[in-house]
Amino acid sequence: MQTDTRVDVFEEIFIVFLALGTLVGVIVVAYTLYNAYKYRDVGADEDEDLPTLGELPTGGKGGRKLFVSFILSAIIVVSLVVWTYGMLLYVEDGPGDNPGDDAVEIDVEGQAFAWIFEYENGVESTNTMYVPADTPVWVNVTSTDVWHAFGIPEERVKADSIPGEYDLTWFIADLPDGEEEIVYEDGIECFELCGAGHSNMKGDLVVMEPDAFDEWLEEEAAALEEDEEDEDDEEGDA
Amino acid sequence: MADDFPPMTSIKRWLVTTNHKDVGILYLATALFFLLFGGILALLFRVQLWSSGGVILSDSAFNQSVTTHGLLMVFWFLSPFAAGFANYFVPLQIGAKDLAFPRLNALSYWFYLFSGLLIGISFFQGGTFEGGWTMYAPLNVPMYTGMEAATGGNTAILALTLFTISITLGTMNFLTTIHRSRAEGMGLWNMPLFTWSWLLTVWMMLFAFAALLAALLLLATDRILLTQYFATDQGSSLLWAHIFWFFGHPEVYIVFFPALGIMFETFQTFTGRRLVGRKWVIIAMVLVAVQSFLVWMHHMYLTTINLEIKTLFMATTIGISLPFDLMVFALIYTMVKGRVRFTTPFLFSLGALVLFILGGITGVFLGAVVLDYEFRGTYWVVAHFHYVMVSGVTALIAGLYYWWPKITGKMYSEALGKLNFAVYFVGFNLLYFPMFLAWETPRRVFHYQEGMEIWHQMATVGAFVFGLSFLIMFYTLGKSLVSGPDAPDNPWQYARTAEWAIPSPPPLENWSGRPSYASGRLEFVDETPAAAPATDGGSPASDGGALTTADAVHGTLDQAHGHGHEEEHADHASIWPFGIGIGMFVFLLGVSGLTPSVAALAEWLDPEWAAEAGISGSVDYLYPAITLAGLAILAYVLFEFGREQFNAPEMAVAERWPFEGVGNTKLGVWFFLASDVVVFGAFIGAYVFMRIYAGWDTWGPVPDHTWAGLLNTYILLTSSFTVILALVMAERGNKKGLIATLGATLLLGLSFMGVKAWEWYDKFLQGDFWFSGLEYSLYYVTTGLHGVHVLLGLFIAVFMLYRIFTIDAYLEDSRPVEFFGLYWHFVDIVWVFLFPLFYLM
């Protein structure tokens, strides 16, 4: 089964918008400049109804063309945005019928000026996010201090990181064919001014084979337990 | 006073002037200064962005630069520059002699100038505000930077507050002027489009800036008095975002509409055609102005608001973009079959149109929510809004060239002007277009992906080219001033509006006869006493807060008061607006440094709380002393302002729909109250929002004694009654009765404040302070704002009693008593809302 990733959704819409936007932009700007040039002042006859100083303002002729253009542009804009609405619903609902089944959940905390990731089994990592490839990853984003915005441009995912709020969203990371792991250095960025360290509030994204990811999680969990036991021992000694 | 009005070459003239043209020039010059200020900051951070990691600025300096650049350009340049044109040309376009309240207009300007100076000073108080021009919470409160470092940021916030007050005074003034001072025969529908665009701008300002004022007042109390509105993780961030963007989206149209108005004017003039679809363009603009208050949440798509709201705001957002399509096409079709002359102002207007088309198209991308998710916080947004906003700047420059000959009486070199445009247009696109290509860069960072470097370097080069174009502009205009040929009355063929029918520059009193459009064309009616119409008379207008001089009521009432038709003497000079500006400047400068002292006070009052919140301060004597000095200056200058005799004659004959029956001052008071409704609305809205967020029943009423609130309700309602009696006494000319009833109002107001003081003291004894928790902040600040209103009312009442004792004021003209009554009733009505909200629920 082929599921659309956030990257797919974005590309699909962005390209259409870019193509249509460029086309409309070129046509309208060209038509504007064409009119300005074509109707440049050449000192033609004076017997028309020209505006004079002190007249009460009234409108000029050409209303029909105006409405045709207006309605055309309205159709383009409205249909474009309405067309994207289906994609919005898809992004809001997430991929698949049961996002809970094979999905991974990661809690993300923004903190001036670092990202803290907590995985389902309690494992935490700071500034490096580990995710399995080809698996829906649900991120639940919040902040412990000021307003940040968590974003991974490579995966086209973003969520505001606001104290007291939990912004839930998802993405699916791809692995290029033949690769076992890929690291996007500084692939995670903060998109809301959050203080002096905002500019360099970045993290790495590590995309792994799903099995490798599970293995990593277990290793980390084991290491965590050992640490805790060590601490308990130390406390016991003291 | 007009006789000894100093000439333009005298510095004194510029300190005392209240003339709309002088004030317009002051606005234009000051706004250009802040354009340079904001522009130099932009050059600083464009240099910083030359390569990833930065070159010249520290993290904090970079954040200060981008923040202040945004604040200066949006607030201290764009709107005031447009306000300069509006000051100069709106009265001319509608056939008025001046604004309705000339002294208030000068006061607006001085508040504007001094607020800008405060921004400059804030850099030297340990660094200015560095949380972005959107001032998102909770970064906007000093809990992350420390109390001592808060001073510069406080100054910036207070400066913006003063600027907002300046805007509010200006809106009252322009709304009254445009609605009450149009020449005979000029209905609203007939107004030139620049005036139309400005009318809609000030209508939007009236409500939008009131919301901003509320947000800033709450922020200032948080920063200075240590309340908790924006410091919690219980809805603070969203509260700020809602109030700020409720202001912020209309603000986009507020800065763009005047530019649009200039485009309409210049397109008509330089194509020799009337605007196609004029009626529909005006309707489209009105729709935008109304709908602008219903789109704010599209700035918050990623803030956990739900899908239904996103859908709703997506719909309103598309809806508001469509009227602009109509306006753009109207401009394009106006050129068809025209005689397009590529003068400098037309080139800038045409350039503005092209840039606006590109800005509009890239905005449609943001209208699709799915795309907005990805563009949020990136350079796409930066590029898009610069294409829109600076397209507006382009049109404003068109306005500068268009009206320059009228303002200065000098022509400029078209060759230099065209060179200016060429460099400007190239620089603009070199600066902003690469930002679309570098769109994945997050905003306000200087560490970016290496692949983006080339685009950022192009933009930096573009920034310097763009900056150079402004040097060319200043050179062109300077050369024109020094050695330009004299300008004729109307240098532009096919100009239509009234400012071109009088000399360049126009004389002090604007017109040689009374402008009238009664015949369908502009004519000047001879207004010698014998020729004057018999039914109307002019009389002096009072000036806003100064409830001292008389104000005209249209029609026969004046005659009953015995005003004749003799040539009305208009004043053009008052030093007190400047004095009030200085007073506010000193006062706010002092307030900016109070945070450490308040922190020390809080530490003393509640050491446990302070230790837990990590707040400590030390009492400082300098800033409290400056604050007191500011208050003393203010008391003196406000008193003198109120005492001064200042005549601003109301037009004898004017179009006044739909406010024929309301005097100028009364209408001004109504506009003020309308904006105050929004201020209180935002305060009460903040309370309701925060309480719902916390769970309504999480908090009970903060005050302990419901009976005290009820008693105060009765006291205030009784005082509303006595103030009505005062008006009756004044109308009857009964001095003793007036003193008794006004004195009773004063005593009742004092009783109210006494009960309130006792309530607060009682709470303090229990250890419940304004900083103790969010529910306490909400209670103390909301009822405190009301208390401040009562207190201001009491000051006015004392002043009025003094005037009655000394000069038998209001016995012949009771209207100031009525205006005071309106304010007083309003304050009472607010309490009627506050009492159940805070005592019963």
Side-chain angles (χ1 to χ4, degrees):
Chain A
M1 184 197 75
Q2 178 60 41
T3 344
D4 276 349
T5 66
R6 295 290 294 270
V7 180
D8 299 332
V9 170
F10 177 80
E11 303 272 287
E12 191 178 340
I13 306 178
F14 185 59
I15 293 204
V16 172
F17 269 64
L18 205 57
L20 259 178
T22 311
L23 185 71
V24 170
V26 167
I27 291 175
V28 175
V29 170
Y31 184 62
T32 306
L33 298 178
Y34 164 78
N35 274 330
Y37 178 75
K38 180 175 177 198
Y39 298 105
R40 68 194 181 281
D41 189 23
V42 289
D45 52 338
E46 289 283 334
D47 51 33
E48 304 164 60
D49 176 26
L50 290 162
T52 54
L53 183 58
E55 69 180 26
L56 270 183
T58 50
K61 289 179 201 130
R64 179 174 301 181
K65 257 194 296 190
L66 178 63
F67 274 95
V68 172
S69 317
F70 168 65
I71 286 166
L72 269 179
S73 75
I75 289 172
I76 294 177
V77 171
V78 172
S79 56
L80 262 181
V81 178
V82 168
W83 169 67
T84 65
Y85 192 72
M87 246 79 81
L88 173 65
L89 294 181
Y90 174 71
V91 167
E92 293 282 305
D93 289 344
D97 294 328
N98 292 310
D101 280 358
D102 61 337
V104 174
E105 276 180 50
I106 302 176
D107 291 336
V108 179
E109 260 180 23
Q111 189 185 82
F113 303 94
W115 297 107
I116 295 162
F117 305 98
E118 191 185 336
Y119 303 84
E120 281 163 80
N121 61 357
V123 167
E124 284 190 17
S125 64
T126 302
N127 281 342
T128 306
M129 185 185 197
Y130 300 88
V131 299
D134 303 319
T135 311
V137 177
W138 285 83
V139 285
N140 196 12
V141 183
T142 189
S143 161
T144 52
D145 41 43
V146 298
W147 187 325
H148 309 273
F150 171 80
I152 313 173
E154 194 66 41
E155 307 297 344
R156 303 289 178 222
V157 61
K158 198 174 286 160
D160 275 357
S161 152
I162 304 173
E165 301 289 319
Y166 293 86
D167 200 354
L168 186 67
T169 190
W170 63 275
F171 66 95
I172 300 173
D174 282 339
L175 263 184
D177 287 339
E179 300 270 350
E180 287 183 0
E181 181 178 302
I182 182 165
V183 181
Y184 296 105
E185 270 178 41
D186 292 348
I188 297 169
E189 295 175 288
C190 178
F191 286 83
E192 184 57 56
L193 182 55
C194 57
H198 166 62
S199 186
N200 214 9
M201 182 169 167
K202 298 187 190 296
D204 300 335
L205 177 72
V206 181
V207 182
M208 312 158 103
E209 291 281 8
D211 294 342
F213 175 76
D214 290 340
E215 219 168 279
W216 174 83
L217 264 189
E218 275 161 30
E219 277 169 22
E220 290 292 307
L224 198 67
E225 258 171 47
E226 256 171 49
D227 282 355
E228 273 167 14
E229 275 165 22
D230 288 350
E231 270 170 36
D232 288 348
D233 290 349
E234 277 164 32
E235 274 166 29
D237 293 344
Chain B
M1 213 181 251
D3 304 329
D4 55 1
F5 192 47
M8 280 186 152
T9 47
S10 141
I11 290 177
K12 191 183 164 203
R13 154 88 163 225
W14 300 101
L15 296 180
V16 301
T17 185
T18 63
N19 182 267
H20 72 100
K21 295 184 293 300
D22 292 354
V23 176
I25 292 171
L26 286 171
Y27 262 107
L28 290 173
T30 312
L32 285 173
F33 169 76
F34 286 114
L35 170 72
L36 289 179
F37 192 164
I40 287 168
L41 289 172
L43 290 180
L44 275 180
F45 62 73
R46 277 318 318 173
V47 171
Q48 173 83 349
L49 284 159
W50 183 258
S51 62
S52 176
V55 188
I56 53 169
L57 298 173
S58 68
D59 289 280
S60 165
F62 178 81
N63 288 349
Q64 288 181 47
S65 304
V66 293
T67 300
T68 314
H69 164 75
L71 289 171
L72 284 178
M73 291 306 196
V74 171
F75 293 105
W76 277 273
F77 167 60
L78 273 161
S79 277
F81 197 56
F85 290 129
N87 255 289
Y88 207 107
F89 293 106
V90 163
L92 295 180
Q93 289 197 332
I94 63 175
K97 277 192 175 176
D98 206 325
L99 290 183
F101 313 114
R103 281 198 308 173
L104 212 55
N105 191 30
L107 185 58
S108 293
Y109 169 74
W110 293 112
F111 278 0
Y112 159 54
L113 176 72
F114 283 115
S115 67
L117 295 183
L118 282 173
I119 287 280
I121 287 174
S122 68
F123 279 96
F124 304 100
Q125 291 175 302
T128 186
F129 187 74
E130 50 180 302
W133 84 275
T134 47
M135 300 171 276
Y136 270 16
L139 186 62
N140 55 4
V141 292
M143 58 199 267
Y144 298 101
T145 49
M147 295 302 144
E148 311 295 333
T151 305
N154 287 351
T155 305
I157 300 301
L158 292 168
L160 191 52
T161 311
L162 183 59
F163 177 84
T164 308
I165 296 171
S166 154
I167 291 275
T168 304
L169 295 179
T171 52
M172 289 156 54
N173 212 340
F174 274 105
L175 283 170
T176 308
T177 307
I178 299 176
H179 282 297
R180 298 257 319 152
S181 308
R182 299 192 306 276
E184 185 184 19
M186 178 170 278
L188 269 184
W189 206 240
N190 304 123
M191 293 192 309
L193 279 158
F194 176 68
T195 299
W196 251 115
S197 71
W198 186 252
L199 175 65
L200 293 170
T201 302
V202 287
W203 268 115
M204 285 187 283
M205 278 178 167
L206 185 71
F207 301 112
F209 272 84
L212 178 65
L213 180 61
L216 291 170
L217 289 175
L218 294 177
L219 179 55
T221 61
D222 268 11
R223 294 184 62 99
I224 294 155
L225 301 177
L226 307 178
T227 54
Q228 312 258 307
Y229 274 89
F230 301 117
T232 74
D233 59 3
Q234 296 302 310
S236 288
S237 299
L238 291 184
L239 174 69
W240 176 265
H242 279 297
I243 310 183
F244 182 81
W245 287 118
F246 182 79
F247 148 78
H249 203 82
E251 169 69 3
V252 175
Y253 306 114
I254 285 169
V255 299
F256 196 73
F257 264 30
L260 206 52
I262 289 171
M263 284 155 77
F264 291 136
E265 295 289 351
T266 48
F267 261 70
Q268 293 186 87
T269 296
F270 295 108
T271 62
R273 287 255 291 152
R274 299 178 186 88
L275 185 67
V276 170
R278 181 179 194 274
K279 186 168 63 174
W280 294 104
V281 166
I282 294 173
I283 291 173
M285 285 176 26
V286 173
L287 280 177
V288 168
V290 173
Q291 207 177 329
S292 67
F293 291 94
L294 302 171
V295 296
W296 82 90
M297 280 195 234
H298 72 210
H299 296 271
M300 301 168 64
Y301 280 146
L302 273 182
T303 59
T304 69
I305 56 176
N306 65 36
L307 180 64
E308 287 75 18
I309 293 180
K310 282 177 197 168
T311 307
L312 178 67
F313 277 81
M314 187 183 91
T316 56
T317 302
I318 308 169
I320 205 166
S321 76
L322 299 180
F324 284 102
D325 293 3
L326 186 112
M327 296 182 221
V328 165
F329 285 117
L331 281 168
I332 295 174
Y333 288 127
T334 297
M335 292 189 291
V336 171
K337 297 201 178 120
R339 301 140 182 269
V340 179
R341 282 153 299 140
F342 292 91
T343 58
T344 306
F346 182 75
L347 283 171
F348 272 97
S349 279
L350 185 65
L353 177 62
V354 169
L355 300 173
F356 184 62
I357 291 169
L358 299 180
I361 290 173
T362 52
V364 174
F365 286 61
L366 294 165
V369 182
V370 190
L371 290 184
D372 181 85
Y373 284 170
E374 314 308 335
F375 289 135
R376 146 113 176 78
T378 68
Y379 264 64
W380 187 279
V381 178
V382 178
H384 158 68
F385 76 64
H386 279 91
Y387 260 85
V388 174
M389 296 286 102
V390 190
S391 148
V393 176
T394 315
L396 291 170
I397 306 282
L400 186 60
Y401 277 108
Y402 181 57
W403 281 313
W404 179 264
K406 180 56 62 184
I407 297 173
T408 62
K410 298 283 183 187
M411 297 305 289
Y412 54 84
S413 155
E414 275 292 339
L416 278 174
K418 282 171 185 166
L419 174 70
N420 181 187
F421 173 74
V423 178
Y424 179 99
F425 198 75
V426 170
F428 181 110
N429 287 294
L430 193 56
L431 168 55
Y432 298 120
F433 198 81
M435 292 184 188
F436 283 120
L437 304 172
W439 74 265
E440 286 185 18
T441 316
R443 287 173 72 176
R444 298 147 165 173
V445 305
F446 51 88
H447 297 87
Y448 51 81
Q449 296 167 27
E450 271 173 30
M452 303 292 172
E453 195 168 67
I454 179 72
W455 309 127
H456 283 291
Q457 294 189 347
M458 276 171 73
T460 300
V461 172
F464 280 90
V465 176
F466 195 53
L468 172 70
S469 77
F470 285 94
L471 293 184
I472 300 173
M473 180 185 91
F474 285 116
Y475 175 74
T476 310
L477 298 179
K479 186 161 174 283
S480 156
L481 264 191
V482 174
S483 61
D486 285 344
D489 290 5
N490 178 14
W492 314 122
Q493 202 183 2
Y494 310 129
R496 304 148 322 283
T497 43
E499 71 266 29
W500 304 109
I502 52 174
S504 305
L508 187 64
E509 307 274 354
N510 295 349
W511 319 104
S512 48
R514 177 171 63 83
S516 165
Y517 290 88
S519 68
R521 297 195 57 81
L522 177 63
E523 281 169 357
F524 294 105
V525 182
D526 187 15
E527 279 278 89
T528 54
T535 49
D536 289 303
S539 76
S542 86
D543 196 355
L547 299 157
T548 53
T549 50
D551 175 19
V553 166
H554 184 64
T556 53
L557 195 71
D558 306 67
Q559 290 177 321
H561 286 278
H563 290 292
H565 293 298
E566 69 274 12
E567 182 68 14
E568 197 71 50
H569 164 80
D571 285 325
H572 295 291
S574 169
I575 190 66
W576 302 115
F578 175 68
I580 298 172
I582 296 222
M584 280 303 265
F585 174 76
V586 175
F587 171 65
L588 293 179
L589 190 62
V591 171
S592 74
L594 294 186
T595 306
S597 305
V598 175
L601 175 70
E603 211 178 352
W604 176 69
L605 287 172
D606 195 343
E608 265 177 49
W609 173 85
E612 201 178 309
I615 281 178
S616 69
S618 57
V619 178
D620 158 280
Y621 293 99
L622 175 65
Y623 280 106
I626 300 175
T627 310
L628 290 177
L631 279 177
I633 298 172
L634 272 178
Y636 171 67
V637 291
L638 281 169
F639 177 72
E640 291 296 335
F641 184 86
R643 246 159 48 103
E644 186 180 45
Q645 285 293 327
F646 187 91
N647 281 351
E650 200 164 305
M651 282 164 72
V653 184
E655 294 294 332
R656 295 182 165 133
W657 186 87
F659 297 111
E660 288 94 346
V662 198
N664 276 5
T665 311
K666 191 169 176 179
L667 190 59
V669 172
W670 278 117
F671 285 131
F672 165 73
L673 293 181
S675 85
D676 217 9
V677 165
V678 177
V679 174
F680 271 110
F683 270 66
I684 293 172
Y687 166 72
V688 172
F689 181 90
M690 294 307 251
R691 192 155 170 188
I692 289 175
Y693 194 99
W696 189 270
D697 292 325
T698 313
W699 309 326
V702 170
D704 295 317
H705 311 292
T706 310
W707 63 264
L710 190 64
L711 174 65
N712 258 349
T713 311
Y714 287 136
I715 291 176
L716 274 194
L717 289 178
T718 312
S719 75
S720 256
F721 181 63
T722 56
V723 92
I724 292 173
L725 284 182
L727 179 58
V728 173
M729 292 302 166
E731 279 169 352
R732 288 186 190 160
N734 181 340
K735 182 175 175 183
K736 278 184 186 160
L738 180 56
I739 290 173
T741 46
L742 209 53
T745 309
L746 179 65
L747 286 178
L748 287 165
L750 286 171
S751 314
F752 175 90
M753 294 304 282
V755 172
K756 180 165 281 299
W758 172 77
E759 278 185 281
W760 283 24
Y761 181 66
D762 196 43
K763 290 305 287 184
F764 292 165
L765 286 184
Q766 300 170 38
D768 293 336
F769 301 99
W770 58 92
F771 48 79
S772 301
L774 181 57
E775 68 269 43
Y776 298 102
S777 297
L778 290 162
Y779 164 70
Y780 283 109
V781 172
T782 313
T783 57
L785 179 75
H786 177 264
V788 169
H789 275 74
V790 173
L791 205 60
L792 290 177
L794 295 182
F795 284 136
I796 298 173
V798 168
F799 177 77
M800 293 178 82
L801 281 168
Y802 161 81
R803 299 288 281 176
I804 300 167
F805 278 116
T806 51
I807 60 159
D808 289 346
Y810 321 124
L811 297 176
E812 287 192 2
D813 179 3
S814 62
R815 275 168 296 163
V817 181
E818 188 189 353
F819 305 147
F820 170 67
L822 285 177
Y823 172 79
W824 194 255
H825 296 320
F826 167 74
V827 173
D828 295 352
I829 291 168
V830 169
W831 181 257
V832 171
F833 283 94
L834 295 187
F835 170 62
L837 272 176
F838 285 95
Y839 287 79
L840 302 178
M841 297 166 85

